[in-house]
Amino acid sequence: MNPSNRTPGLVLFSIALALFFIALGCGENATDPGFGNGNGDGNNGEEPGPNEVWMVGQSFSPANLEVEEGTTITWENRSGEVHTVTSGSNRNHDNLFDSGNISPGGTYFYTFDDAGTYDYFCIPHAGMTGTITVTD
Ligand SMILES: [Cu+2]
């Protein structure tokens, strides 16, 4: 190869590489798994992982989850609304855990160290409840 041709080739390659990464970046944004996509259902065909609970619309999914002691549960707000993960039943907070407001796209974690049945609810939404059953 003639040395004088090297530099333009390198410049063209660099431009192509830059365009590739720009395109990649746009693609990621366009396919970012959807919360707040307008219909209150951010599923897009996906499922919560084994230790995950999603807030979809005005419900917890799955509403009932059984895990072993020491498991950390992740709640992810896949809806377009603010929710809470608040321990207790019949809308009475038992002060074990409370996420505070979780905005769309936000997450909350809690580790269940002891076996038992743990009811929880969402403060803004009557009827939005869930249960974590912890086995030893
Ligand atoms: Cu809620």
Side-chain angles (χ1 to χ4, degrees):
M1 185 194 254
N2 184 328
S4 66
N5 287 338
R6 252 185 220 155
T7 305
L10 195 65
V11 169
L12 284 175
F13 177 74
S14 301
I15 291 170
L17 199 67
L19 288 174
F20 173 74
F21 281 113
I22 289 166
L24 198 69
C26 291
E28 268 178 354
N29 287 337
T31 58
D32 195 11
F35 24 74
N37 59 0
N39 63 6
D41 168 3
N43 279 320
N44 291 344
E46 296 178 81
E47 299 278 333
N51 301 324
E52 267 181 20
V53 177
W54 287 358
M55 287 157 263
V56 180
Q58 291 187 359
S59 55
F60 294 107
S61 176
N64 297 292
L65 187 57
E66 186 174 311
V67 298
E68 292 184 359
E69 274 182 350
T71 300
T72 299
I73 303 293
T74 303
W75 285 266
E76 184 176 332
N77 187 351
R78 291 226 168 193
S79 79
E81 299 178 72
V82 170
H83 300 289
T84 73
V85 176
T86 306
S87 63
S89 54
N90 300 316
R91 308 192 64 73
N92 294 313
H93 182 20
D94 65 11
N95 295 310
L96 184 63
F97 55 85
D98 183 17
S99 65
N101 286 341
I102 307 172
S103 296
T107 55
Y108 174 67
F109 305 87
Y110 186 81
T111 301
F112 292 87
D113 287 323
D114 299 309
T117 302
Y118 299 89
D119 293 326
Y120 63 93
F121 61 97
C122 170
I123 291 172
H125 301 121
M128 184 171 172
T129 61
T131 304
I132 306 292
T133 303
V134 181
T135 58
D136 54 24

